[in-house]
Amino acid sequence: MANNNPILVIIEDDPPIRRFLRTSLSAYGFTVHEAENGRQGIVEAGVRKPDLVILDLGLPDMDGVDVIKAIREWSMMPIIVLSARDAEQQKIAALDAGADDYLTKPFGLGELLARLRVAMRHSARNPESSQAEVFVSGQLKVDLLKRQVHLSDQEVHLTPIQYRLLSVLVKNAGKVLTHQYILKEVWGPSYAENSHYLRIYMSQLRQKLEADPAQPQYLLTESGVGYRLKV
């Protein structure tokens, strides 16, 4: 019989953490493969073609950011960083290199499982056909082909820049996007450091799309790093 369990590669040099992850995630239906260093992890990712990769940044042979870059040369498989590094710039470096999410040690199993589910939902969207897809989350509906936005079946009118900002989030729904990435995608490379632009337009989007802009349900803030559109 075919094994339909999601395949997961864990790249982690700490044996107790690897053992905990293997035991816990196997109990939740994942088929788990392990690597104790970066080079072995890149090989495992290439051979196993996993649905997900969990990656520690502090590996003995190479930096985890370089592992992300190596995998991104040939695959867009979801990569979730699980690291003791909690500095804002280190998170941004990992996300800018191509990681889908970042969880700081110590972590809760429930939160890790939730983020794995988000990554798998995002991965299930075919990126090559995303332009033709209709994104739906709760009462929010975004039709990228027709360039229409509806909230509770009522059309929401956005300015061109507001729509461009929302479309970048929709095309990467579920992923944490750094401030710099969003700014470059919406305004261009010369605006990568103008974070006040992003704060202003994100506030405007929340006013139009959130029932309570102070407690958003869709446009979520990742403190000090960027934003995520909830899926």
Side-chain angles (χ1 to χ4, degrees):
M1 293 181 62
N3 182 357
N4 294 321
N5 292 351
I7 298 172
L8 179 65
V9 168
I10 298 169
I11 308 174
E12 166 66 66
D13 68 322
D14 189 322
I17 293 180
R18 275 205 319 274
R19 185 165 56 249
F20 169 74
L21 289 171
R22 180 182 67 247
T23 303
S24 301
L25 296 176
S26 295
Y28 280 90
F30 290 90
T31 298
V32 178
H33 301 278
E34 302 172 37
E36 62 184 16
N37 60 55
R39 289 181 176 84
Q40 182 185 351
I42 293 169
V43 171
E44 284 290 308
V47 171
R48 305 294 181 182
K49 300 296 190 295
D51 298 287
L52 293 154
V53 171
I54 293 178
L55 171 67
D56 182 21
L57 294 183
L59 298 169
D61 60 335
M62 59 191 299
D63 193 277
V65 171
D66 293 324
V67 176
I68 297 169
K69 292 176 180 178
I71 293 175
R72 283 291 173 259
E73 289 180 358
W74 55 271
S75 175
M76 292 305 295
M77 65 180 65
I79 300 174
I80 295 182
V81 171
L82 193 61
S83 179
R85 300 181 186 176
D86 59 359
E88 178 181 316
Q89 288 303 318
Q90 292 171 332
K91 293 181 182 180
I92 290 172
L95 293 165
D96 277 345
D100 292 80
D101 205 347
Y102 196 114
L103 196 57
T104 304
K105 298 176 183 176
F107 60 92
L109 179 61
E111 183 177 4
L112 175 60
L113 286 166
R115 293 185 184 234
L116 291 175
R117 290 192 294 269
V118 167
M120 286 191 294
R121 288 199 298 270
H122 174 254
S123 180
R125 301 173 184 274
N126 183 350
E128 294 183 357
S129 64
S130 62
Q131 289 283 352
E133 287 186 353
V134 176
F135 171 83
V136 179
S137 177
Q139 298 299 312
L140 177 63
K141 177 180 176 182
V142 182
D143 189 323
L144 292 173
L145 191 61
K146 296 180 179 178
R147 297 177 63 87
Q148 292 180 337
V149 180
H150 288 82
L151 187 66
S152 302
D153 296 324
Q154 299 293 317
E155 186 169 3
V156 179
H157 297 283
L158 303 179
T159 68
I161 292 182
Q162 289 170 355
Y163 178 80
R164 199 180 314 154
L165 172 57
L166 180 61
S167 68
V168 169
L169 293 165
V170 166
K171 291 171 188 175
N172 297 277
K175 291 185 65 172
V176 179
L177 301 182
T178 64
H179 298 122
Q180 290 91 334
Y181 177 87
I182 299 172
L183 284 161
K184 284 190 286 187
E185 290 294 307
V186 177
W187 285 276
S190 61
Y191 289 84
E193 302 303 321
N194 293 359
S195 58
H196 63 283
Y197 276 73
L198 184 53
R199 286 194 300 270
I200 292 169
Y201 280 92
M202 185 61 69
S203 176
Q204 292 175 357
L205 264 187
R206 284 174 170 163
Q207 291 292 333
K208 292 186 175 182
L209 300 179
E210 301 284 1
D212 181 359
Q215 297 185 10
Q217 295 181 347
Y218 305 112
L219 305 168
L220 307 181
T221 297
E222 294 289 334
S223 183
V225 177
Y227 297 97
R228 179 210 307 265
L229 178 62
K230 183 178 179 180
V231 296

